[in-house]
Amino acid sequence: MGTAMFDRRSFLKGALAAGAGAASGAMLAGCAPHGRSDTAGLGGDGVATMTADAYEELTWSFEVPPEPVDESQIAQTVTDDFIVIGSGVSGLVTAASIVGHGGSCTLFSAGTKAVSRGGSNHAVGTKTQKRLGLDYTPDTAAAHFNNEIARQGYRMDSRKWWKWINHSGEAMDWITDIMSEAGYVTTLELPFKDPNGTFSIPSGAHNFYGSEIQNSANDGEPLLTATLERYVLDNGGSITYNTKAEYLVREDDNTGRVSAVVATNADGDYVKYEGTKGIVMATGDFSGNPDMMAKYCSAFADWVSEGAGDYDAEFQFGGLMPGDGQKMGLWVGAAWQNTTPSAPMIGWYGFPAPCSDQNHPGILLNVEGERFMNEDTSAAYAGYAVSGQTEKKVFAVWDSDFAYRFDTWEALGNNMDNLGIVPVTSDEKAAEFEAGVEEKTYVKGETVEEVLQALAEQGGIDVEAAKATIARYNEDVAAGVDTQYRKCKEYLFPIEKGPFYGQYSQLGPAQFLCVLGGLRTSPDCEVLDEANKPIEGLYNVGSMMGDTFGTFYNFRVPGQNLGMTCITFPYLLGKQLTGN
Protein backbone atom coordinates (compact mmCIF):
# COMPACT_ATOMS: atom_id res chain seq x y z
CA MET A 1 0.00 0.00 0.00
CA GLY A 2 2.96 2.32 0.29
CA THR A 3 4.15 4.23 3.32
CA ALA A 4 2.33 7.43 4.14
CA MET A 5 4.65 10.30 4.96
CA PHE A 6 2.02 12.72 6.14
CA ASP A 7 -0.51 12.54 9.00
CA ARG A 8 -3.24 15.15 8.56
CA ARG A 9 -4.34 14.99 12.20
CA SER A 10 -0.79 15.62 13.39
CA PHE A 11 -0.58 18.53 10.95
CA LEU A 12 -3.72 20.16 12.31
CA LYS A 13 -2.48 19.72 15.88
CA GLY A 14 0.75 21.40 14.83
CA ALA A 15 -1.17 24.20 13.16
CA LEU A 16 -3.12 24.75 16.36
CA ALA A 17 0.05 24.97 18.35
CA ALA A 18 1.49 27.37 15.80
CA GLY A 19 -1.61 29.55 16.01
CA ALA A 20 -1.48 29.63 19.79
CA GLY A 21 2.22 30.44 19.79
CA ALA A 22 2.17 33.09 17.11
CA ALA A 23 3.70 35.71 19.38
CA SER A 24 6.83 33.62 19.71
CA GLY A 25 7.06 33.11 15.94
CA ALA A 26 6.64 29.33 16.14
CA MET A 27 6.74 27.37 12.90
CA LEU A 28 5.26 23.90 13.18
CA ALA A 29 4.11 21.19 10.78
CA GLY A 30 5.02 23.12 7.67
CA CYS A 31 3.25 26.42 8.41
CA ALA A 32 4.26 29.70 10.01
CA PRO A 33 1.68 32.00 11.65
CA HIS A 34 1.69 35.70 11.00
CA GLY A 35 -0.47 38.70 11.87
CA ARG A 36 -2.86 38.45 14.81
CA SER A 37 -1.87 36.15 17.64
CA ASP A 38 -5.17 36.13 19.52
CA THR A 39 -7.26 34.09 17.08
CA ALA A 40 -6.49 30.71 18.59
CA GLY A 41 -6.75 30.73 22.35
CA LEU A 42 -6.32 28.20 25.13
CA GLY A 43 -9.43 26.57 26.56
CA GLY A 44 -9.96 25.71 30.19
CA ASP A 45 -8.09 22.45 29.74
CA GLY A 46 -5.09 24.24 28.24
CA VAL A 47 -5.73 22.92 24.72
CA ALA A 48 -5.36 25.33 21.79
CA THR A 49 -8.54 25.91 19.83
CA MET A 50 -8.49 26.39 16.09
CA THR A 51 -10.82 28.99 14.60
CA ALA A 52 -11.49 30.09 11.05
CA ASP A 53 -9.60 33.32 11.70
CA ALA A 54 -6.63 31.44 13.13
CA TYR A 55 -6.48 29.19 10.09
CA GLU A 56 -6.58 32.17 7.74
CA GLU A 57 -3.71 33.80 9.61
CA LEU A 58 -1.39 30.84 9.03
CA THR A 59 1.20 30.96 6.26
CA TRP A 60 1.93 27.62 4.64
CA SER A 61 5.51 26.68 3.86
CA PHE A 62 4.83 26.58 0.12
CA GLU A 63 3.45 30.13 0.20
CA VAL A 64 6.79 31.59 1.31
CA PRO A 65 8.92 32.55 -1.72
CA PRO A 66 12.69 32.08 -1.73
CA GLU A 67 14.99 35.08 -1.65
CA PRO A 68 15.99 36.05 -5.22
CA VAL A 69 19.64 35.45 -5.98
CA ASP A 70 21.88 38.35 -6.88
CA GLU A 71 22.50 38.83 -10.59
CA SER A 72 26.19 38.18 -9.93
CA GLN A 73 25.29 34.60 -9.03
CA ILE A 74 23.69 33.89 -12.41
CA ALA A 75 26.18 31.71 -14.27
CA GLN A 76 24.29 31.69 -17.58
CA THR A 77 21.41 33.52 -19.23
CA VAL A 78 19.39 31.84 -21.98
CA THR A 79 17.06 34.02 -24.04
CA ASP A 80 14.39 32.77 -26.40
CA ASP A 81 10.95 33.84 -27.60
CA PHE A 82 9.26 31.24 -25.43
CA ILE A 83 10.42 29.26 -22.41
CA VAL A 84 8.59 26.03 -21.50
CA ILE A 85 9.16 24.44 -18.09
CA GLY A 86 8.53 20.70 -17.89
CA SER A 87 9.12 17.65 -20.11
CA GLY A 88 5.85 15.78 -19.67
CA VAL A 89 3.22 15.46 -22.38
CA SER A 90 1.87 19.00 -21.90
CA GLY A 91 5.28 20.67 -22.01
CA LEU A 92 6.43 18.72 -25.05
CA VAL A 93 3.18 19.33 -26.95
CA THR A 94 3.47 23.05 -26.18
CA ALA A 95 7.06 23.20 -27.41
CA ALA A 96 6.22 21.08 -30.46
CA SER A 97 3.27 23.31 -31.34
CA ILE A 98 5.37 26.46 -30.96
CA VAL A 99 8.19 25.26 -33.22
CA GLY A 100 5.75 23.50 -35.55
CA HIS A 101 3.92 26.78 -36.08
CA GLY A 102 7.06 28.76 -36.77
CA GLY A 103 8.05 29.95 -33.30
CA SER A 104 11.27 29.68 -31.33
CA CYS A 105 11.28 27.78 -28.04
CA THR A 106 13.55 26.53 -25.27
CA LEU A 107 12.30 23.78 -22.95
CA PHE A 108 13.98 22.75 -19.72
CA SER A 109 13.02 20.23 -17.08
CA ALA A 110 13.99 19.12 -13.57
CA GLY A 111 13.81 15.51 -14.72
CA THR A 112 16.40 13.58 -16.66
CA LYS A 113 14.15 12.63 -19.58
CA ALA A 114 10.78 13.04 -21.25
CA VAL A 115 8.16 11.56 -18.90
CA SER A 116 4.62 10.28 -19.30
CA ARG A 117 2.25 7.70 -17.92
CA GLY A 118 -0.55 5.60 -19.37
CA GLY A 119 -1.67 6.01 -22.93
CA SER A 120 -5.30 7.23 -23.07
CA ASN A 121 -5.89 10.56 -24.81
CA HIS A 122 -9.53 11.54 -25.31
CA ALA A 123 -10.58 13.56 -28.34
CA VAL A 124 -13.80 14.19 -30.25
CA GLY A 125 -14.26 14.24 -34.03
CA THR A 126 -10.93 12.85 -35.21
CA LYS A 127 -9.72 11.21 -38.40
CA THR A 128 -9.08 8.02 -36.41
CA GLN A 129 -12.71 7.87 -35.34
CA LYS A 130 -13.83 8.41 -38.92
CA ARG A 131 -11.44 5.70 -40.12
CA LEU A 132 -13.02 3.26 -37.67
CA GLY A 133 -16.56 4.22 -38.64
CA LEU A 134 -17.53 6.09 -35.47
CA ASP A 135 -19.96 9.01 -35.50
CA TYR A 136 -18.43 10.73 -32.49
CA THR A 137 -18.43 14.48 -33.00
CA PRO A 138 -19.07 17.56 -30.85
CA ASP A 139 -22.69 17.41 -32.03
CA THR A 140 -23.30 13.72 -31.38
CA ALA A 141 -21.37 13.77 -28.08
CA ALA A 142 -23.02 16.91 -26.69
CA ALA A 143 -25.55 15.07 -24.52
CA HIS A 144 -22.85 12.86 -23.02
CA PHE A 145 -20.68 15.84 -22.09
CA ASN A 146 -23.57 17.87 -20.72
CA ASN A 147 -24.24 14.90 -18.46
CA GLU A 148 -20.59 14.78 -17.43
CA ILE A 149 -20.52 18.49 -16.65
CA ALA A 150 -23.56 17.93 -14.44
CA ARG A 151 -21.75 15.06 -12.69
CA GLN A 152 -19.01 17.56 -11.92
CA GLY A 153 -21.66 19.71 -10.25
CA TYR A 154 -20.77 22.54 -12.64
CA ARG A 155 -17.92 23.13 -10.18
CA MET A 156 -15.44 23.52 -13.01
CA ASP A 157 -14.94 25.94 -15.86
CA SER A 158 -17.22 24.55 -18.58
CA ARG A 159 -15.69 27.03 -21.04
CA LYS A 160 -12.55 24.90 -20.96
CA TRP A 161 -14.51 21.70 -21.54
CA TRP A 162 -16.32 23.03 -24.60
CA LYS A 163 -13.20 24.59 -26.04
CA TRP A 164 -11.54 21.20 -25.69
CA ILE A 165 -14.53 19.33 -27.16
CA ASN A 166 -14.75 21.68 -30.14
CA HIS A 167 -11.01 21.70 -30.93
CA SER A 168 -9.72 18.33 -29.70
CA GLY A 169 -10.23 16.75 -33.13
CA GLU A 170 -7.88 19.25 -34.75
CA ALA A 171 -5.27 18.79 -32.02
CA MET A 172 -5.43 14.99 -32.09
CA ASP A 173 -5.23 14.88 -35.90
CA TRP A 174 -2.07 16.99 -35.70
CA ILE A 175 -0.60 14.56 -33.18
CA THR A 176 -1.76 11.59 -35.28
CA ASP A 177 0.12 12.94 -38.31
CA ILE A 178 3.31 13.35 -36.27
CA MET A 179 3.01 9.83 -34.87
CA SER A 180 2.24 8.35 -38.28
CA GLU A 181 5.34 10.01 -39.74
CA ALA A 182 7.33 8.32 -36.94
CA GLY A 183 5.87 4.92 -37.81
CA TYR A 184 3.21 4.60 -35.11
CA VAL A 185 -0.49 3.80 -35.37
CA THR A 186 -3.13 5.87 -33.58
CA THR A 187 -5.97 3.62 -32.46
CA LEU A 188 -8.97 3.78 -30.12
CA GLU A 189 -9.83 2.02 -26.91
CA LEU A 190 -13.02 -0.04 -26.95
CA PRO A 191 -16.28 1.60 -25.85
CA PHE A 192 -18.45 0.24 -23.03
CA LYS A 193 -22.23 -0.08 -23.12
CA ASP A 194 -23.85 -0.15 -19.69
CA PRO A 195 -27.23 -1.97 -19.68
CA ASN A 196 -28.86 1.02 -18.01
CA GLY A 197 -26.90 3.58 -20.04
CA THR A 198 -25.81 5.35 -16.87
CA PHE A 199 -22.13 4.42 -17.08
CA SER A 200 -21.67 3.90 -20.81
CA ILE A 201 -18.30 5.09 -22.13
CA PRO A 202 -17.72 6.32 -25.69
CA SER A 203 -14.76 5.32 -27.81
CA GLY A 204 -12.81 8.55 -27.59
CA ALA A 205 -9.58 7.46 -25.89
CA HIS A 206 -6.79 7.50 -28.48
CA ASN A 207 -3.78 5.23 -27.99
CA PHE A 208 -0.45 5.10 -29.81
CA TYR A 209 0.84 1.70 -30.83
CA GLY A 210 4.20 0.47 -32.03
CA SER A 211 5.78 -2.96 -32.32
CA GLU A 212 7.96 -2.32 -29.24
CA ILE A 213 4.94 -2.42 -26.90
CA GLN A 214 1.99 -4.75 -26.30
CA ASN A 215 -0.43 -2.57 -24.35
CA SER A 216 -1.20 0.76 -26.02
CA ALA A 217 -3.25 2.08 -23.09
CA ASN A 218 -0.61 1.25 -20.49
CA ASP A 219 2.54 1.93 -22.50
CA GLY A 220 1.63 4.11 -25.47
CA GLU A 221 2.33 7.54 -24.00
CA PRO A 222 6.13 7.14 -23.84
CA LEU A 223 6.04 6.60 -27.61
CA LEU A 224 4.35 10.01 -27.89
CA THR A 225 6.78 11.88 -25.64
CA ALA A 226 9.84 10.35 -27.33
CA THR A 227 8.43 11.30 -30.73
CA LEU A 228 7.63 14.85 -29.63
CA GLU A 229 11.09 15.23 -28.15
CA ARG A 230 12.59 14.41 -31.56
CA TYR A 231 10.08 16.68 -33.28
CA VAL A 232 11.03 19.67 -31.11
CA LEU A 233 14.74 19.16 -31.70
CA ASP A 234 14.33 18.50 -35.44
CA ASN A 235 12.38 21.75 -35.80
CA GLY A 236 14.93 24.00 -34.13
CA GLY A 237 13.83 23.83 -30.49
CA SER A 238 16.13 23.32 -27.52
CA ILE A 239 15.66 20.87 -24.61
CA THR A 240 17.72 20.76 -21.40
CA TYR A 241 17.25 18.24 -18.58
CA ASN A 242 18.45 18.16 -14.95
CA THR A 243 17.53 21.81 -14.53
CA LYS A 244 15.04 22.77 -11.84
CA ALA A 245 12.97 25.95 -11.95
CA GLU A 246 13.34 27.86 -8.66
CA TYR A 247 11.26 31.03 -9.08
CA LEU A 248 9.76 33.37 -11.67
CA VAL A 249 10.87 36.94 -12.28
CA ARG A 250 7.99 39.40 -12.43
CA GLU A 251 8.88 42.96 -13.29
CA ASP A 252 7.83 46.20 -11.54
CA ASP A 253 8.05 44.89 -7.98
CA ASN A 254 6.02 41.78 -8.74
CA THR A 255 3.21 43.69 -10.47
CA GLY A 256 4.25 43.66 -14.13
CA ARG A 257 5.14 41.12 -16.76
CA VAL A 258 6.69 37.74 -15.98
CA SER A 259 9.83 37.89 -18.08
CA ALA A 260 12.11 35.12 -16.80
CA VAL A 261 12.56 32.08 -14.62
CA VAL A 262 15.63 31.35 -12.51
CA ALA A 263 16.69 27.71 -12.33
CA THR A 264 19.52 25.55 -10.99
CA ASN A 265 21.32 23.12 -13.30
CA ALA A 266 22.90 19.75 -12.61
CA ASP A 267 26.08 21.46 -11.36
CA GLY A 268 24.16 23.62 -8.92
CA ASP A 269 24.72 26.79 -10.95
CA TYR A 270 21.99 29.37 -11.43
CA VAL A 271 20.65 29.76 -14.95
CA LYS A 272 18.24 32.50 -15.97
CA TYR A 273 15.82 31.72 -18.78
CA GLU A 274 14.36 34.85 -20.34
CA GLY A 275 11.22 34.52 -22.44
CA THR A 276 10.81 37.60 -24.58
CA LYS A 277 7.27 36.56 -25.57
CA GLY A 278 6.17 34.24 -22.80
CA ILE A 279 6.86 31.68 -20.08
CA VAL A 280 4.80 28.46 -20.10
CA MET A 281 4.70 26.29 -16.97
CA ALA A 282 4.01 22.58 -17.52
CA THR A 283 5.39 21.24 -14.26
CA GLY A 284 2.70 18.70 -13.34
CA ASP A 285 0.55 18.28 -10.27
CA PHE A 286 1.12 18.79 -6.53
CA SER A 287 0.19 15.33 -5.21
CA GLY A 288 3.76 14.77 -4.04
CA ASN A 289 3.65 17.82 -1.73
CA PRO A 290 2.11 16.90 1.68
CA ASP A 291 1.50 20.51 2.71
CA MET A 292 -0.26 21.44 -0.51
CA MET A 293 -2.31 18.26 -0.26
CA ALA A 294 -3.30 19.19 3.29
CA LYS A 295 -4.61 22.56 2.15
CA TYR A 296 -6.08 21.77 -1.25
CA CYS A 297 -6.99 18.05 -1.15
CA SER A 298 -7.15 17.22 2.55
CA ALA A 299 -9.23 14.04 2.28
CA PHE A 300 -6.31 12.30 0.59
CA ALA A 301 -3.38 14.09 2.22
CA ASP A 302 -2.31 11.02 4.16
CA TRP A 303 -2.14 8.97 0.94
CA VAL A 304 1.10 10.65 -0.14
CA SER A 305 3.88 8.05 -0.16
CA GLU A 306 7.58 8.47 0.48
CA GLY A 307 8.44 8.00 -3.20
CA ALA A 308 6.37 11.00 -4.29
CA GLY A 309 8.05 14.04 -5.77
CA ASP A 310 10.32 12.18 -8.20
CA TYR A 311 10.65 14.25 -11.37
CA ASP A 312 11.22 11.11 -13.44
CA ALA A 313 8.13 9.33 -12.10
CA GLU A 314 6.02 7.62 -14.72
CA PHE A 315 3.29 5.11 -13.81
CA GLN A 316 3.63 5.62 -10.07
CA PHE A 317 0.97 5.64 -7.38
CA GLY A 318 1.07 7.37 -4.00
CA GLY A 319 1.51 10.87 -5.43
CA LEU A 320 3.54 12.36 -8.27
CA MET A 321 4.98 15.87 -8.58
CA PRO A 322 5.85 18.40 -5.83
CA GLY A 323 3.86 21.38 -7.15
CA ASP A 324 6.78 23.53 -8.31
CA GLY A 325 4.78 25.50 -10.87
CA GLN A 326 1.86 26.08 -8.52
CA LYS A 327 4.21 27.50 -5.91
CA MET A 328 6.05 29.73 -8.37
CA GLY A 329 2.75 31.07 -9.63
CA LEU A 330 1.51 31.89 -6.13
CA TRP A 331 4.73 33.77 -5.39
CA VAL A 332 4.13 36.18 -8.28
CA GLY A 333 0.49 36.86 -7.44
CA ALA A 334 -1.42 34.09 -9.17
CA ALA A 335 -4.75 33.11 -7.63
CA TRP A 336 -5.66 29.57 -6.71
CA GLN A 337 -8.46 28.00 -8.71
CA ASN A 338 -12.05 28.71 -7.68
CA THR A 339 -12.91 25.04 -7.20
CA THR A 340 -11.96 23.46 -3.88
CA PRO A 341 -10.93 20.90 -2.97
CA SER A 342 -8.83 19.99 -5.99
CA ALA A 343 -9.91 16.83 -7.80
CA PRO A 344 -7.97 13.65 -7.00
CA MET A 345 -7.44 10.82 -9.45
CA ILE A 346 -8.04 7.46 -7.79
CA GLY A 347 -7.69 4.29 -9.85
CA TRP A 348 -9.23 1.06 -8.58
CA TYR A 349 -9.23 -1.82 -11.04
CA GLY A 350 -8.48 -4.82 -8.88
CA PHE A 351 -11.56 -7.06 -9.23
CA PRO A 352 -12.71 -9.04 -12.29
CA ALA A 353 -14.95 -7.10 -14.68
CA PRO A 354 -15.81 -7.55 -18.37
CA CYS A 355 -14.55 -4.03 -19.21
CA SER A 356 -11.51 -2.22 -17.86
CA ASP A 357 -13.46 0.86 -16.77
CA GLN A 358 -16.26 -1.17 -15.20
CA ASN A 359 -16.67 -2.12 -11.57
CA HIS A 360 -16.90 -5.78 -10.58
CA PRO A 361 -20.55 -6.51 -11.46
CA GLY A 362 -21.06 -9.31 -8.93
CA ILE A 363 -21.22 -8.73 -5.18
CA LEU A 364 -19.04 -6.42 -3.07
CA LEU A 365 -18.87 -6.71 0.72
CA ASN A 366 -17.33 -4.57 3.47
CA VAL A 367 -15.62 -5.70 6.67
CA GLU A 368 -19.01 -6.05 8.34
CA GLY A 369 -19.99 -8.56 5.66
CA GLU A 370 -22.60 -6.25 4.12
CA ARG A 371 -23.25 -4.97 0.64
CA PHE A 372 -22.77 -1.21 0.63
CA MET A 373 -23.56 -0.11 -2.93
CA ASN A 374 -25.15 -0.93 -6.26
CA GLU A 375 -22.29 -2.75 -7.97
CA ASP A 376 -23.41 -1.63 -11.43
CA THR A 377 -21.09 1.37 -11.70
CA SER A 378 -17.63 2.34 -12.89
CA ALA A 379 -14.42 1.24 -11.21
CA ALA A 380 -13.61 4.81 -10.17
CA TYR A 381 -17.01 5.44 -8.57
CA ALA A 382 -16.74 2.13 -6.74
CA GLY A 383 -13.34 3.17 -5.42
CA TYR A 384 -14.79 6.27 -3.81
CA ALA A 385 -17.59 4.18 -2.31
CA VAL A 386 -14.97 1.84 -0.85
CA SER A 387 -13.09 4.80 0.64
CA GLY A 388 -16.04 5.39 2.98
CA GLN A 389 -16.08 1.86 4.36
CA THR A 390 -14.42 0.57 7.52
CA GLU A 391 -10.64 0.57 7.05
CA LYS A 392 -11.34 1.18 3.33
CA LYS A 393 -11.57 -2.60 2.85
CA VAL A 394 -13.66 -4.46 0.28
CA PHE A 395 -14.22 -8.12 -0.63
CA ALA A 396 -15.64 -9.87 -3.70
CA VAL A 397 -16.93 -13.45 -4.01
CA TRP A 398 -17.94 -15.20 -7.24
CA ASP A 399 -18.60 -18.72 -8.48
CA SER A 400 -17.30 -20.92 -11.30
CA ASP A 401 -19.94 -19.77 -13.75
CA PHE A 402 -18.89 -16.14 -13.45
CA ALA A 403 -16.21 -16.46 -16.14
CA TYR A 404 -18.92 -17.63 -18.56
CA ARG A 405 -21.34 -14.76 -17.95
CA PHE A 406 -19.65 -12.81 -20.75
CA ASP A 407 -18.57 -14.03 -24.17
CA THR A 408 -15.41 -11.95 -24.05
CA TRP A 409 -13.53 -10.13 -21.30
CA GLU A 410 -11.95 -6.83 -22.24
CA ALA A 411 -8.94 -5.30 -20.52
CA LEU A 412 -7.21 -1.94 -20.46
CA GLY A 413 -5.25 -1.84 -23.71
CA ASN A 414 -7.72 -3.65 -25.96
CA ASN A 415 -8.31 -1.44 -28.98
CA MET A 416 -10.48 -1.24 -32.06
CA ASP A 417 -7.59 -2.24 -34.36
CA ASN A 418 -6.81 -5.37 -32.27
CA LEU A 419 -3.18 -4.31 -31.95
CA GLY A 420 -1.21 -5.77 -29.07
CA ILE A 421 -3.31 -7.43 -26.39
CA VAL A 422 -6.81 -8.59 -27.34
CA PRO A 423 -9.93 -9.54 -25.31
CA VAL A 424 -9.96 -13.03 -23.82
CA THR A 425 -12.58 -15.76 -24.02
CA SER A 426 -14.61 -17.19 -21.14
CA ASP A 427 -12.32 -20.23 -20.99
CA GLU A 428 -9.24 -18.00 -20.87
CA LYS A 429 -10.78 -15.92 -18.09
CA ALA A 430 -11.56 -19.09 -16.10
CA ALA A 431 -7.91 -20.08 -16.52
CA GLU A 432 -6.88 -16.62 -15.30
CA PHE A 433 -8.88 -17.17 -12.12
CA GLU A 434 -6.99 -20.40 -11.50
CA ALA A 435 -3.67 -18.72 -12.22
CA GLY A 436 -4.66 -15.93 -9.84
CA VAL A 437 -5.17 -18.48 -7.07
CA GLU A 438 -1.66 -19.81 -7.68
CA GLU A 439 -0.31 -16.25 -7.59
CA LYS A 440 -2.32 -15.54 -4.41
CA THR A 441 -4.28 -12.73 -6.09
CA TYR A 442 -7.47 -14.71 -5.49
CA VAL A 443 -8.57 -17.27 -2.93
CA LYS A 444 -10.49 -20.44 -3.79
CA GLY A 445 -12.73 -22.85 -1.89
CA GLU A 446 -15.17 -25.65 -2.50
CA THR A 447 -17.75 -23.75 -0.46
CA VAL A 448 -18.61 -20.10 0.02
CA GLU A 449 -17.69 -20.43 3.69
CA GLU A 450 -14.18 -21.66 2.80
CA VAL A 451 -13.64 -18.61 0.62
CA LEU A 452 -14.97 -16.28 3.30
CA GLN A 453 -12.71 -17.86 5.92
CA ALA A 454 -9.72 -17.29 3.65
CA LEU A 455 -10.80 -13.66 3.11
CA ALA A 456 -11.22 -13.24 6.86
CA GLU A 457 -7.60 -14.27 7.34
CA GLN A 458 -6.54 -11.62 4.84
CA GLY A 459 -8.77 -8.71 5.75
CA GLY A 460 -10.98 -9.58 8.71
CA ILE A 461 -14.41 -9.87 7.06
CA ASP A 462 -17.32 -10.98 9.30
CA VAL A 463 -17.85 -14.49 7.92
CA GLU A 464 -21.31 -15.18 9.35
CA ALA A 465 -22.70 -11.83 8.29
CA ALA A 466 -21.20 -12.25 4.82
CA LYS A 467 -22.77 -15.72 4.48
CA ALA A 468 -26.17 -14.25 5.35
CA THR A 469 -25.69 -11.40 2.88
CA ILE A 470 -24.77 -13.79 0.05
CA ALA A 471 -27.77 -15.99 0.88
CA ARG A 472 -30.08 -13.00 0.70
CA TYR A 473 -28.44 -11.89 -2.54
CA ASN A 474 -28.98 -15.34 -4.08
CA GLU A 475 -32.64 -15.18 -3.10
CA ASP A 476 -32.94 -11.84 -4.87
CA VAL A 477 -31.22 -13.25 -7.94
CA ALA A 478 -33.66 -16.16 -8.02
CA ALA A 479 -36.58 -13.73 -7.72
CA GLY A 480 -35.13 -11.52 -10.45
CA VAL A 481 -35.01 -8.31 -8.40
CA ASP A 482 -32.34 -6.72 -6.20
CA THR A 483 -34.41 -5.65 -3.19
CA GLN A 484 -31.52 -3.71 -1.67
CA TYR A 485 -30.03 -1.60 -4.45
CA ARG A 486 -32.16 -2.40 -7.52
CA LYS A 487 -29.16 -3.44 -9.57
CA CYS A 488 -29.93 -4.08 -13.23
CA LYS A 489 -31.06 -7.62 -13.93
CA GLU A 490 -28.28 -8.16 -16.46
CA TYR A 491 -25.79 -8.28 -13.57
CA LEU A 492 -27.80 -10.34 -11.09
CA PHE A 493 -25.51 -13.37 -11.11
CA PRO A 494 -25.97 -16.14 -8.51
CA ILE A 495 -23.11 -17.31 -6.32
CA GLU A 496 -23.98 -20.98 -6.15
CA LYS A 497 -21.76 -23.22 -8.31
CA GLY A 498 -18.47 -24.34 -6.78
CA PRO A 499 -15.62 -24.02 -6.62
CA PHE A 500 -15.83 -20.41 -5.48
CA TYR A 501 -13.37 -17.54 -5.70
CA GLY A 502 -12.75 -14.41 -3.70
CA GLN A 503 -10.56 -11.35 -3.56
CA TYR A 504 -9.68 -8.77 -0.91
CA SER A 505 -8.47 -5.21 -1.42
CA GLN A 506 -7.79 -2.19 0.73
CA LEU A 507 -7.93 1.27 -0.81
CA GLY A 508 -4.97 3.54 -0.12
CA PRO A 509 -1.82 5.12 -1.61
CA ALA A 510 -1.49 2.22 -4.06
CA GLN A 511 -4.58 3.55 -5.85
CA PHE A 512 -3.78 7.28 -5.58
CA LEU A 513 -2.25 8.63 -8.79
CA CYS A 514 -2.38 12.42 -8.79
CA VAL A 515 -4.37 15.63 -8.18
CA LEU A 516 -5.77 17.76 -10.98
CA GLY A 517 -5.86 21.55 -10.88
CA GLY A 518 -4.02 24.42 -9.30
CA LEU A 519 -3.54 27.96 -10.50
CA ARG A 520 -6.52 29.95 -11.76
CA THR A 521 -6.32 29.74 -15.53
CA SER A 522 -8.22 31.28 -18.42
CA PRO A 523 -9.48 29.17 -21.34
CA ASP A 524 -6.48 30.62 -23.24
CA CYS A 525 -4.09 29.13 -20.65
CA GLU A 526 -3.26 32.53 -19.12
CA VAL A 527 -2.44 32.46 -15.40
CA LEU A 528 -4.85 34.78 -13.57
CA ASP A 529 -4.70 36.87 -10.41
CA GLU A 530 -7.43 37.28 -7.78
CA ALA A 531 -9.22 39.82 -9.99
CA ASN A 532 -9.25 37.24 -12.82
CA LYS A 533 -6.80 39.40 -14.76
CA PRO A 534 -4.05 37.67 -16.76
CA ILE A 535 -0.51 37.95 -15.43
CA GLU A 536 1.26 39.17 -18.53
CA GLY A 537 3.71 36.73 -20.03
CA LEU A 538 2.73 33.74 -17.87
CA TYR A 539 0.84 30.64 -19.02
CA ASN A 540 0.31 27.13 -17.70
CA VAL A 541 -0.85 23.85 -19.22
CA GLY A 542 -1.33 20.24 -18.20
CA SER A 543 -2.49 18.89 -14.85
CA MET A 544 -1.76 22.18 -13.11
CA MET A 545 -4.48 24.10 -15.00
CA GLY A 546 -7.09 25.24 -12.49
CA ASP A 547 -10.84 24.58 -12.54
CA THR A 548 -10.68 21.70 -15.01
CA PHE A 549 -12.49 19.17 -12.79
CA GLY A 550 -15.06 19.85 -10.11
CA THR A 551 -15.31 16.78 -7.89
CA PHE A 552 -12.91 14.02 -8.84
CA TYR A 553 -11.64 12.28 -11.96
CA ASN A 554 -14.28 9.65 -12.70
CA PHE A 555 -12.80 8.03 -15.85
CA ARG A 556 -16.16 8.19 -17.65
CA VAL A 557 -14.31 10.13 -20.35
CA PRO A 558 -11.17 7.97 -20.41
CA GLY A 559 -8.07 10.00 -21.13
CA GLN A 560 -9.80 13.34 -20.67
CA ASN A 561 -7.01 14.99 -18.70
CA LEU A 562 -4.30 13.94 -21.15
CA GLY A 563 -6.49 14.74 -24.14
CA MET A 564 -7.67 18.09 -22.79
CA THR A 565 -5.01 19.77 -20.64
CA CYS A 566 -1.96 17.94 -22.01
CA ILE A 567 -2.67 17.83 -25.77
CA THR A 568 -5.49 20.12 -26.91
CA PHE A 569 -4.74 23.18 -24.79
CA PRO A 570 -0.95 23.04 -25.31
CA TYR A 571 -1.50 22.63 -29.05
CA LEU A 572 -3.88 25.60 -29.17
CA LEU A 573 -1.56 27.67 -26.97
CA GLY A 574 1.33 27.07 -29.35
CA LYS A 575 -0.77 28.30 -32.26
CA GLN A 576 -1.96 31.29 -30.22
CA LEU A 577 1.50 32.34 -29.07
CA THR A 578 2.91 32.17 -32.59
CA GLY A 579 0.06 34.14 -34.10
CA ASN A 580 -1.53 31.20 -35.91
Side-chain angles (χ1 to χ4, degrees), residues 476-488:
D476 280 355
V477 173
V481 59
D482 177 6
T483 59
Q484 274 190 291
Y485 298 109
R486 309 294 164 175
K487 183 164 68 173
C488 65

Side-chain angles (χ1 to χ4, degrees), residues 14-28 32-34 36-38 40-42 48 58:
L16 277 170
S24 63
M27 179 181 289
L28 298 175
H34 67 85
R36 302 200 312 265
S37 62
D38 59 348
L42 295 177
L58 296 172

